[in-house]
Amino acid sequence: MDVDFELSPQETEFRDEVRAWLKANAPKDQDGDVDMQTFIDRRRGWQRRMFEAGYVGITWPKEFGGQGRSFMDQLIFNDEMILAHAPEPINVIGLGMGGPVVIAHGTDEQKERYLPPLLSAEEIWCQGFSEPNAGSDLSGLQTRAEDRGDHYLVNGQKVWTTLAHVAKWCMLLARERKETNPRDGLTYLLVDMESPGIEVRPLVQITGDAEFNEIFFKDVKVPKSQILGQAGGGWAVAMTTLLHERGTLGLALATRAQITVSNLADRARKLGRGDDPLVRQKIAQHSIEARALQLNGYRAVTAVKRTGIPGPEGSILKLMWSELNQRMTETAMEVGGPASQVGDGDGWKYQFLRARANTIEAGTSEVLRNILAERVLGLPRSR
Ligand SMILES: Cc1cc2nc3c(=O)[nH]c(=O)nc-3n(C[C@H](O)[C@H](O)[C@H](O)COP(=O)(O)OP(=O)(O)OC[C@H]3O[C@@H](n4cnc5c(N)ncnc54)[C@H](O)[C@@H]3O)c2cc1C
């Protein structure tokens, strides 16, 4: 079947409008070697401007602050972000997972409460799933949510929680009851990070930044109005979250890969390596893979259009992007030679180091390959 990539007249009009807006508004400053707080402030301000112009939550319902537009419009917007080399908004976890999971499982009151400030970057979100003894095997988690009538009392520890140090809301997966199947009896709570009893301790990464944290919960009161989905039925809500993490967020990453490859080509030209056939071949190969990734992203969009939730094939996006991103940042270091490793290396040193975590966060490559083998290709289960 032929695929029609031509835009309709309305889509062309939207594209032109977005293009003009991004040309006038996209921040020119690259993040380079700025400190964490400056980075967060800049990205928060940038999301606010995008939101005010109507470009955040493009496909989300209008009554909750979104734009109610089509997925095609979202793709057009993503493509224009690539052309403009525009940075991502701050609330990546909220936009990629928090909002979609509230839209899928939340009550109308919850949608009204949580979605608008998430879109405007007034409230940042984080994801409290992983624990010291529960990563790939999430169902091994031990943080407890004890039923106390109108509220839960939460005790336990989470780890690797990105943005917890600036977040207002945490998507917390906790154990309410012990059941034979460890996936049963879990409850998904939206926890106010300003609640008494929460302690956030930053963890420094290989980059030198502390982008993620440990969170300790000691007798933290969480009202039952903050349960997402059914009490004891948290596993299903968590799976929706992960499908979005790898699918919706994966689509944003597919966009980012094209920005990275075009920045890489600029770097090679700037350093006088643009005529080197080996460098050209490498960058061309990255470019082909980035484009293939984006086309796979369109498949994920088709799944979302049909069911409202990305399918397990969204794991392809995360898997391909993480490994491609590592290769691209390695090429960037090769192109710059040893000088890339000193100073800020035009920002590439940071990206190179940060990319090491890509094949661990949001599901390791091994785990994603298992998911693709078993749930997409229907191969026998590994265990
Ligand atoms: C930068 C970064 C940000 C993160 N942000 C968050 C966040 O915001 N919120 C959050 O909840 N978590 C976050 N995480 C945690 C992340 O989800 C986990 O690190 C990840 O799921 C792996 O879990 P683990 O670290 O416990 O490793 P383990 O699960 O202990 O895995 C160790 C090794 O064993 C392999 N392995 C495990 N099981 C299998 C299997 N069945 N088959 C084959 N190989 C297997 C893994 O691939 C890996 O190589 C983040 C991690 C990073 C690096």
Side-chain angles (χ1 to χ4, degrees):
M1 191 183 77
D2 285 343
V3 179
D4 183 3
F5 285 111
E6 292 303 314
L7 300 182
S8 71
Q10 291 92 325
E11 287 163 352
T12 309
E13 195 183 316
F14 178 66
R15 183 200 62 194
D16 293 345
E17 173 203 307
V18 169
R19 190 170 288 179
W21 187 84
L22 283 172
K23 192 160 186 260
N25 292 282
K28 301 285 175 288
D29 44 284
Q30 288 302 310
D31 294 315
D33 214 9
V34 300
D35 63 80
M36 193 49 135
Q37 193 54 50
T38 312
F39 174 83
I40 286 167
D41 293 345
R42 278 190 192 167
R43 292 289 172 99
R44 200 193 270 264
W46 169 228
Q47 181 174 333
R48 179 147 205 104
R49 289 215 300 290
M50 285 167 69
F51 171 69
E52 283 164 357
Y55 298 133
V56 186
I58 289 177
T59 61
W60 295 15
K62 265 195 166 149
E63 61 270 38
F64 305 117
Q67 298 298 319
R69 302 186 75 110
S70 68
F71 281 99
M72 195 58 209
D73 286 348
Q74 180 70 61
L75 290 180
I76 292 170
F77 185 77
N78 291 356
D79 280 351
E80 292 305 314
M81 290 275 283
I82 301 173
L83 283 177
H85 286 220
E88 281 174 332
I90 181 71
N91 218 352
V92 269
I93 294 176
L95 293 169
M97 292 183 258
V101 83
V102 169
I103 292 170
H105 295 276
T107 60
D108 279 352
E109 291 77 50
Q110 288 175 325
K111 291 178 196 167
E112 220 162 278
R113 165 62 190 87
Y114 297 113
L115 299 181
L118 186 163
L119 287 166
S120 64
E122 207 174 305
E123 292 179 348
I124 295 176
W125 283 51
C126 68
Q127 177 196 19
F129 281 22
S130 305
E131 296 185 3
N133 290 313
S136 302
D137 186 8
L138 184 59
S139 67
L141 65 85
Q142 289 168 16
T143 294
R144 277 167 298 124
E146 201 186 311
D147 189 338
R148 290 290 182 98
D150 65 344
H151 68 274
Y152 286 100
L153 217 50
V154 173
N155 279 287
Q157 184 199 343
K158 295 290 170 177
V159 72
W160 320 126
T161 324
T162 305
L163 290 174
H165 53 303
V166 285
K168 166 73 177 165
W169 294 104
C170 178
M171 297 172 261
L172 184 87
L173 194 59
R175 183 165 302 287
E176 180 169 346
R177 293 185 303 273
K178 276 215 161 116
E179 302 266 357
T180 324
N181 182 345
R183 296 176 177 182
D184 294 335
L186 299 172
T187 298
Y188 197 115
L189 297 169
L190 301 178
V191 178
D192 184 343
M193 291 294 287
E194 289 165 22
S195 315
I198 295 186
E199 189 192 343
V200 175
R201 292 191 203 152
L203 291 166
V204 178
Q205 290 160 259
I206 191 176
T207 54
D209 277 344
E211 177 194 349
F212 56 21
N213 308 266
E214 292 176 289
I215 315 180
F216 296 87
F217 298 87
K218 191 164 186 310
D219 291 339
V220 177
K221 269 175 101 171
V222 183
K224 284 201 170 159
S225 57
Q226 288 164 214
I227 302 174
L228 196 59
Q230 302 299 315
W235 186 256
V237 188
M239 286 308 105
T240 306
T241 315
L242 295 183
L243 289 171
H244 277 287
E245 182 170 29
R246 292 153 191 173
T248 312
L249 218 57
L251 189 61
L253 296 173
T255 304
R256 188 117 306 261
Q258 301 230 26
I259 299 179
T260 309
V261 81
S262 94
N263 286 343
L264 185 53
D266 286 349
R267 173 171 170 79
R269 281 188 213 103
K270 190 174 136 198
L271 296 176
R273 304 284 310 276
D275 294 332
D276 181 330
L278 293 179
V279 170
R280 291 170 72 87
Q281 273 172 26
K282 269 201 172 164
I283 297 178
Q285 183 62 33
H286 297 326
S287 177
I288 290 164
E289 290 177 34
R291 177 72 178 142
L293 186 57
Q294 197 184 24
L295 294 175
N296 267 296
Y298 294 167
R299 283 195 203 167
V301 168
T302 311
V304 177
K305 274 177 92 168
R306 285 203 196 110
T307 64
I309 294 175
E313 63 282 353
S315 292
I316 299 174
L317 294 179
K318 159 60 176 57
L319 176 65
M320 283 175 63
W321 168 78
S322 57
E323 298 188 353
L324 172 62
N325 198 45
Q326 288 182 348
R327 287 194 294 277
M328 289 196 291
T329 57
E330 280 159 20
T331 303
M333 299 305 275
E334 274 172 41
V335 167
S340 311
Q341 295 170 31
V342 293
D344 82 346
D346 278 344
W348 285 98
K349 188 180 81 180
Y350 176 88
Q351 288 197 48
F352 168 72
L353 293 173
R354 179 63 184 79
R356 304 320 301 167
N358 295 158
T359 46
I360 305 172
E361 58 196 324
T364 66
S365 287
E366 292 77 14
V367 165
L368 296 181
R369 284 196 166 86
N370 281 349
I371 291 174
L372 292 173
E374 292 167 15
R375 292 200 224 143
V376 180
L377 299 175
L379 296 173
R381 289 186 66 82
S382 60
R383 55 187 183 136

